[in-house]
Amino acid sequence: MTDNNAAQQIASGYAAGGAAVDLGAVVIDDAADAEAQVRIPLATLNRHGLVAGATGTGKTKTLQLLAEQLSDAGVPVVLADIKGDLSGLAQPGEGGDKLTARAQDIGDDWQATSYPVQFLSLGTSGRGVPIRASITSFGPLLLAKVLGLNATQESTLGLIFHWADQRGLALLDTKDLRSVIQYLTSDEGKEDLKGIGGVSAASAGVILRALSNLEAQGGDEFFGEPELEVADLLQQVGAQGVVNLLELSEVQTNPVLFSTFLMWLLAELFEELPEAGDLDRPKLVFFFDEAHLLFNDASKAFLDSIEQTVKLIRSKGVGVFFCTQLPTDVPNPVLSQLGARVQHAIRAFTPEDQKALSRTVKTYPTTEHYDLGQALTSLGTGEAIVTVLSETGAPTPVAWTRLRPPRSLMGAIGEDAVRSSARSSQLHAKYSETIDRESAYEKLAQKVPEASAEPSAEAPEKGEAQDAGMFQKAMENPAVRSFFRSAASAVGREVTRGLFGNRRR
Ligand SMILES: Nc1ncnc2c1ncn2[C@@H]1O[C@H](COP(=O)(O)OP(=O)(O)OP(=O)(O)O)[C@@H](O)[C@H]1O
Ligand SMILES: [Mg+2]
């Protein structure tokens, strides 16, 4: 028997007048009350959110459900499809008895529906439309994260960018960065750096090695042009917002690059979008799946930038949802800014688990209706403990919620369907071909063959030594020296950097 009073008392805290995302119905004593709906007002989606839970508890389906309703409300979304199980958004769901029973139980007039999906991949070997960013645009902070650099190496990279930025020198791809680092560690380059500190050979060596690893993991096909324009993500098809699905392709073996790229996107959005104030619905909602990848081993500077970006992007009308197994994966300064909480079941096997559980319980408003420690470990699949911000910005009552089933297909649609959808996308013509515009590397490379025509006197031991040897040879060539001299005194527009060390336009 449902305790209608309790369920409806809870739901009254969610009864917003304006448009909202319907999550599902309140559950008391294992029974859902179809009359007691739990909703997130669209107007407070720019106050961000968290979707958490143990594996298999329904996090991804919750993201799917949120994305669907946002699309129907005309709001475009960006979803990181780490496990490749969100492509079903492009096709109507299959329904079935179990699903329709669930929908009925919670007062959901379920209908199979498909959504306008734009499939995107990092680099050129994925199935979606290839997207890229230039090294210059990424900037030293994000790149240091991708390269796994320590604080000293991070600041060395900062110095290298500073040198290039001041000269308006475009570092488009990894080859460009490599040639600039090699120049700055050469005798000639060292002269240039006088007054701003030098680039130590040790740090430069580490950075070059990390760069090689990154290239081997597909970074070389991601860094370059044409660079993604964020406006291409803010589209509508008819009245529906576009669902941008970013896949982590099989060859793309660097999840850190993936999550850092998402942070770059957010930083780009911050730079590009005008101040919006409080809107009745967000301009875009961004879902960060596997968010722990972003926070693990992150430097203080990096974490500070995430915190700042999340704080400030709100006023641009962008909502951010982090998705992770445990809320404790998200650092407190970020966690405390997440207004909506959809917490799926937590496993509490080990003492560590228990600690995380009681920490999680403490982050909820008090409730007389549930024993939260018990509730959080006994939630069914596709159920969650929810609290969001009401339209007045106050936390809503804690609600054990049975979530709506997604209306699109649960699961993947298959490789061919993704490929053909990507090929017929409007973005295909714009982004499918890599443009290798002449930049630092090309200018240098032109000179290298003549310079290194004679074999080097000492036999190089490893690849790096060989690179360095080649470079020394190249530096003996007056044409190469003059290239760098002209770069060093170039009057190109100086690159300025934003909150995240990303390039300002
Ligand atoms: N809202 C829902 N409606 C109906 N079924 C659901 C719902 N949520 C979850 N399920 C069922 O539970 C299964 C697992 O859900 P999901 O893939 O979302 O889990 P997850 O938390 O993302 O797991 P993982 O951490 O492994 O990625 C789904 O395949 C589906 O059968
Ligand atoms: Mg999942």
Side-chain angles (χ1 to χ4, degrees):
M1 266 275 294
T2 309
D3 181 349
N4 279 319
N5 279 338
Q8 278 163 33
Q9 194 187 327
I10 292 169
S12 68
Y14 290 84
V21 172
D22 292 304
L23 289 177
V26 177
V27 173
I28 299 277
D29 294 335
D30 225 29
D33 181 348
E35 304 291 312
Q37 292 292 314
V38 176
R39 331 162 73 219
I40 313 179
L42 294 186
T44 61
L45 277 169
N46 68 334
R47 308 282 295 271
H48 312 316
L50 177 75
V51 176
T55 178
T57 54
K59 298 183 296 296
T60 301
K61 300 305 170 268
T62 297
L63 298 190
Q64 188 168 350
L65 163 72
L66 287 166
E68 290 178 352
Q69 291 190 40
L70 286 167
S71 174
D72 275 338
V75 178
V77 301
V78 176
L79 278 159
D81 189 12
I82 302 266
K83 292 195 174 147
D85 52 356
L86 280 163
S87 56
L89 274 156
Q91 283 178 16
E94 280 171 341
D97 292 347
K98 226 176 113 190
L99 192 139
T100 37
R102 180 188 185 104
Q104 206 166 18
D105 182 39
I106 60 174
D108 169 15
D109 57 343
W110 192 90
Q111 280 171 328
T113 314
S114 66
Y115 299 84
V117 175
Q118 212 156 245
F119 291 98
L120 308 170
S121 305
L122 289 199
T124 48
S125 55
R127 295 166 299 190
V129 173
I131 52 177
R132 305 169 193 76
S134 69
I135 293 266
T136 282
S137 171
F138 238 57
L141 197 56
L142 289 167
L143 193 63
K145 168 77 176 152
V146 175
L147 295 175
L149 304 183
N150 69 23
T152 312
Q153 295 147 3
E154 182 184 275
S155 68
T156 299
L157 193 62
L159 185 64
I160 293 163
F161 270 80
H162 179 74
W163 182 86
D165 287 352
Q166 277 193 322
R167 287 150 187 87
L169 192 67
L171 306 175
L172 302 182
D173 50 32
T174 51
K175 294 173 298 182
D176 292 334
L177 180 59
R178 181 182 300 279
S179 56
V180 166
I181 294 173
Q182 287 170 336
Y183 169 69
L184 290 177
T185 47
S186 71
D187 292 343
E188 188 105 4
K190 277 179 199 151
E191 280 296 300
D192 256 4
L193 283 178
K194 270 200 184 138
I196 50 169
V199 172
S200 85
S203 290
V206 174
I207 296 171
L208 288 173
R209 255 194 310 278
L211 210 51
S212 300
N213 290 340
L214 180 64
E215 286 166 338
Q217 291 167 333
D220 54 340
E221 51 167 80
F222 166 67
F223 286 109
E225 293 185 314
E227 181 165 276
L228 177 71
E229 287 178 43
V230 292
D232 287 327
L233 305 177
L234 296 162
Q235 302 296 316
Q236 288 183 330
V237 176
Q240 285 180 308
V242 157
V243 176
N244 297 285
L245 262 199
L246 199 59
E247 71 160 7
L248 184 64
S249 77
E250 283 138 53
V251 285
Q252 182 55 255
T253 53
N254 190 337
V256 177
L257 173 61
F258 190 80
S259 55
T260 311
F261 167 74
L262 294 173
M263 208 60 231
W264 174 80
L265 252 188
L266 213 51
E268 282 290 293
L269 283 163
F270 180 77
E271 297 296 333
E272 295 283 297
L273 295 176
E275 282 295 314
D278 281 325
L279 303 170
D280 64 352
R281 66 194 55 203
K283 283 188 183 157
L284 179 79
V285 178
F286 212 90
F287 295 95
F288 256 101
D289 207 352
E290 307 285 335
H292 64 278
L293 296 174
L294 192 68
F295 300 116
N296 285 355
D297 306 321
S299 69
K300 171 91 171 65
F302 189 80
L303 289 176
D304 289 349
S305 299
I306 296 178
E307 185 190 333
Q308 282 299 313
T309 307
V310 169
K311 193 172 286 169
L312 297 172
I313 198 107
R314 209 183 115 181
S315 65
K316 308 279 176 124
V318 176
V320 183
F321 273 72
F322 292 96
C323 186
T324 182
Q325 297 217 354
L326 284 170
T328 45
D329 295 335
V330 182
N332 273 326
V334 177
L335 195 61
S336 63
Q337 296 182 54
L338 309 182
R341 298 286 195 84
V342 182
Q343 175 67 61
H344 291 273
I346 296 178
R347 311 254 178 266
F349 301 134
T350 67
E352 275 297 295
D353 293 345
Q354 287 287 353
K355 251 186 257 162
L357 176 66
S358 49
R359 270 210 298 270
T360 306
V361 169
K362 286 199 198 100
T363 63
Y364 278 90
T366 52
T367 169
E368 56 185 278
H369 301 292
Y370 309 107
D371 170 351
L372 278 183
Q374 215 244 324
L376 286 166
T377 47
S378 38
L379 289 162
T381 306
E383 292 182 348
I385 297 295
V386 176
T387 176
V388 308
L389 294 177
S390 72
E391 270 170 345
T392 59
T396 57
V398 176
W400 182 322
T401 307
R402 186 161 299 153
L403 292 146
R404 293 185 169 209
R407 297 186 169 204
S408 54
L409 193 70
M410 290 201 258
I413 59 171
E415 197 153 317
D416 292 344
V418 172
R419 274 184 209 284
S420 74
S421 170
R423 262 197 303 272
S424 61
S425 153
Q426 284 184 337
L427 300 187
H428 188 260
K430 182 169 174 184
Y431 292 109
S432 63
E433 299 296 329
T434 305
I435 302 167
D436 204 354
R437 154 159 96 86
E438 195 176 52
S439 50
Y441 173 79
E442 279 71 27
K443 293 191 181 173
L444 176 62
Q446 279 167 15
K447 318 295 178 193
V448 169
E450 358 167 352
S452 59
E454 306 154 41
S456 166
E458 320 108 87
E461 285 153 33
K462 344 181 242 246
E464 225 175 283
Q466 192 173 13
D467 269 3
M470 276 253 291
F471 190 80
Q472 288 311 331
K473 273 283 173 198
M475 287 308 300
E476 283 160 22
N477 183 311
V480 175
R481 285 211 302 276
S482 97
F483 159 68
F484 272 111
R485 255 197 309 276
S486 64
S489 59
V491 284
R493 195 161 69 98
E494 183 172 343
V495 177
T496 57
R497 300 212 164 264
L499 196 59
F500 232 111
N502 59 312
R503 179 193 51 204
R504 277 228 161 94
R505 286 167 208 269

